[in-house]
């Protein structure tokens, strides 16, 4: 029997009737951290927990797995005796649980429902149909309402609702736990540690990724102290004055193995704008010309003062203009003392004129 969206049962009393609302159910093969063989169990996702029954008609569950200790969820590509089966590895704080779905489509749906309940957000990176995404959104809304009714004094958990104060490190990303893992795995060259909002909406978290025969993710809670500053909630808490010191402390504790995640966002190379066509009203995207802007025209120089303007080229006819008769004037001596070449040309012209006059007479 394949997994399917839940139709609420109205059977006789028992443990099933006392469970949180069931969002998804179906048969899965399960093998826990201490189990040597897999068992085929009817699995129900009720609230924030997985409940396992021997079959679909049982009212008393045989095992419960609380998802509050969730660490990661990834595909298991190892072969199964059933070639159509698709495996999952559910990593919890207390160990690893292996789940096997009947087929790839069923596995993708289980991942979608699990991520929706854990992160209270519909995952956008799974291969699902629009109708299936709508089902996940309804599950998110129901689970938020359920948690709000259980904790009326607190705001509903949201991975993006934490208030940030002070200077924020550049490795901060407003993403959920799952989205942080996807970012770190897709861009390993950009760093392996990012700061993000905590799942409870009241704290922060640091997600790290390292490679040990595959991706190994770790998540560290960072809470704000009443007296100011922050603390990394580990076995021996690490106090920090600022969020920058939180990141620096993790880099220092790991001898530089952990590095802040810095993803360079792409920027546009051209300026574009949208305008409407005057004839048919159709809106078209245009690219602005990339030629440099024209320079502003220069202001006219002030009258009587032009320090940068060039003096006009000297007019050779100035040599024939009258010059003061002072014998000490150097220009007079320059003009009245022609060069030898000039004297020769003048004599030749005189001789030609005299010959022409003699021939005319």
């Amino acid at each position: 029997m394949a997994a399917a969206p839940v139709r609420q049962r109205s059977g006789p009393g028992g443990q099933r009737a006392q469970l949180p609302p069931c969002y998804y159910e179906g048969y899965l093969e399960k093998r826990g951290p201490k189990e040597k063989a897999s068992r085929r169990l009817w699995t129900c996702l009720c609230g924030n927990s997985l409940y396992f029954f021997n079959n679909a008609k049982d009212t008393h569950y045989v095992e419960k797995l609380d998802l509050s200790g969730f660490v990661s969820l990834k595909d298991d590509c190892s072969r199964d005796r059933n070639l159509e089966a698709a495996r999952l590895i559910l990593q919890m704080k207390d160990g690893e649980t292996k789940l096997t779905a009947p087929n790839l489509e069923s596995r993708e749906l289980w991942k979608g429902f699990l991520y929706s309940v854990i992160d209270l957000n519909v995952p956008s990176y799974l291969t699902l149909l629009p109708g299936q995404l709508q089902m996940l959104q309804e599950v998110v809304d129901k689970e938020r309402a359920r948690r709000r009714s259980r904790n009326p004094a607190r705001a509903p958990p949201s991975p993006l609702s934490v208030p940030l104060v002070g200077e924020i490190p550049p490795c901060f990303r407003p993403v959920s736990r799952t989205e942080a893992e996807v970012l770190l795995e897709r861009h390993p060259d950009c760093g392996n540690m990012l700061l993000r909002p905590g799942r409870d909406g009241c704290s922060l978290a640091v997600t790290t990724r390292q490679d040990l025969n595959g991706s190994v993710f770790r998540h560290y809670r960072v809470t704000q102290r009443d007296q100011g500053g922050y603390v990394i909630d580990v076995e021996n808490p690490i106090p920090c004055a600022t969020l920058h010191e939180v990141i620096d402390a993790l880099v220092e504790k790991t001898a530089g193995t952990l590095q802040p995640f810095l993803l360079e966002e792409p920027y546009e190379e051209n300026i574009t704008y949208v305008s409407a066509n005057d004839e048919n009203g159709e809106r078209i995207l245009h690219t602005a010309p990339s030629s440099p802007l024209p320079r502003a025209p220069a202001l006219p120089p002030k009258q009587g003062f032009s320090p940068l303007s060039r003096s006009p080229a000297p007019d050779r006819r100035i040599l024939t203009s009258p010059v003061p008769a002072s014998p000490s004037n150097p220009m007079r001596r320059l003009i009245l003392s022609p060069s030898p070449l000039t004297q020769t040309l003048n004599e030749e012209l005189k001789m030609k004129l005299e010959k022409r006059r003699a021939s005319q007479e």
Side-chain angles (χ1 to χ4, degrees):
M1 181 183 296
V6 172
R7 297 183 297 275
Q8 295 293 341
R9 292 176 171 80
S10 57
Q15 288 191 3
R16 185 188 289 266
Q18 301 172 5
L19 298 180
C22 188
Y23 301 131
Y24 198 60
E25 60 183 357
Y27 275 112
L28 289 176
E29 291 185 17
K30 172 191 172 292
R31 189 175 74 180
K34 299 179 181 180
E35 296 175 331
K36 296 182 178 180
S38 298
R39 291 182 297 161
R40 187 170 182 265
L41 299 172
W42 184 259
T43 308
C44 296
L45 175 61
C46 301
N48 195 36
S49 300
L50 287 173
Y51 293 86
F52 300 94
F53 300 82
N54 286 322
N55 56 63
K57 296 181 179 180
D58 278 1
T59 57
H60 291 74
Y61 62 86
V62 295
E63 193 173 342
K64 174 187 173 182
L65 182 60
D66 189 351
L67 297 175
S68 60
F70 174 83
V71 175
S72 66
L73 179 65
K74 59 183 179 180
D75 297 342
D76 183 359
C77 299
S78 59
R79 289 184 174 272
D80 189 87
R81 61 181 181 275
N82 180 5
L83 297 180
E84 293 185 358
R87 292 180 172 180
L88 276 171
I89 297 178
L90 179 59
Q91 183 69 44
M92 309 295 289
K93 290 181 179 179
D94 56 355
E96 184 180 89
T97 299
K98 293 188 176 182
L99 303 173
T100 303
N103 50 56
L104 291 174
E105 181 183 0
S106 177
R107 181 177 71 179
E108 202 75 357
L109 273 173
W110 272 109
K111 287 163 59 179
F113 279 95
L114 288 170
Y115 280 136
S116 297
V117 169
I118 292 169
D119 294 329
L120 292 179
N121 193 26
V122 177
S124 59
Y125 42 83
L126 298 178
T127 308
L128 297 173
L129 298 174
Q132 295 168 335
L133 293 175
Q134 180 63 33
M135 285 194 304
L136 297 185
Q137 184 59 56
E138 293 174 0
V139 167
V140 170
D141 296 339
K142 291 178 181 178
E143 181 63 11
R144 282 179 176 170
R146 186 186 73 87
R147 297 188 193 182
R148 191 184 301 117
S149 64
R150 292 178 59 193
N151 303 292
R154 296 179 59 184
S158 170
L160 306 179
S161 64
V162 66
L164 297 177
V165 294
E167 189 175 354
I168 302 173
C171 63
F172 174 79
R173 291 274 162 175
V175 296
S176 65
R177 172 191 288 245
T178 305
E179 291 169 334
E181 293 179 357
V182 172
L183 268 178
L184 293 174
E185 194 157 31
R186 285 182 179 174
H187 307 279
D189 297 335
C190 298
N192 56 2
M193 170 177 59
L194 63 78
L195 181 68
R196 60 174 179 83
R199 186 185 300 165
D200 58 3
C202 302
S203 63
L204 293 162
V206 173
T207 297
T208 67
R209 174 192 175 273
Q210 298 183 72
D211 194 0
L212 183 63
N213 299 323
S215 295
V216 177
F217 296 100
R218 292 291 182 266
H219 305 274
Y220 304 96
R221 186 190 300 274
V222 179
T223 56
Q224 193 168 5
R225 298 187 295 179
D226 295 336
Q227 61 271 30
Y230 299 86
V231 61
I232 305 174
D233 288 336
V234 289
E235 186 176 359
N236 295 317
I238 304 173
C240 301
T242 64
L243 291 175
H244 281 277
E245 288 190 14
V246 170
I247 302 301
D248 293 341
L250 290 170
V251 173
E252 181 181 351
K253 293 287 184 183
T254 59
T257 302
L258 296 180
Q259 289 296 319
F261 181 79
L262 302 175
L263 178 63
E264 292 197 9
E265 303 287 354
Y267 292 94
E268 299 294 334
E269 296 183 354
N270 296 300
I271 299 174
T272 58
Y273 62 96
V274 177
S275 65
N277 190 306
D278 295 335
E279 296 181 357
N280 54 19
E282 183 181 358
R283 300 182 70 82
I284 305 174
L285 182 66
H286 300 274
T287 301
S290 57
S291 57
L293 296 175
R295 292 184 179 180
L299 296 175
K302 294 182 179 180
Q303 292 184 353
F305 180 75
S306 180
L308 299 180
S309 60
R310 291 184 178 181
S311 57
D315 193 343
R316 297 187 183 276
R317 291 176 295 177
I318 198 170
L319 296 176
T320 61
S321 61
V323 180
S326 172
S328 63
N329 193 326
M331 289 298 296
R332 174 180 173 85
R333 290 197 299 270
L334 177 62
I335 298 172
L336 297 180
S337 303
S339 64
L341 178 60
T342 305
Q343 285 183 338
T344 304
L345 292 175
N346 289 338
E347 291 176 358
E348 290 181 358
L349 289 173
K350 282 182 179 182
M351 291 176 61
K352 289 182 179 180
L353 288 173
E354 290 176 356
K355 289 181 180 180
R356 185 176 298 175
R357 289 175 183 172
S359 61
Q360 290 178 357
E361 293 176 355

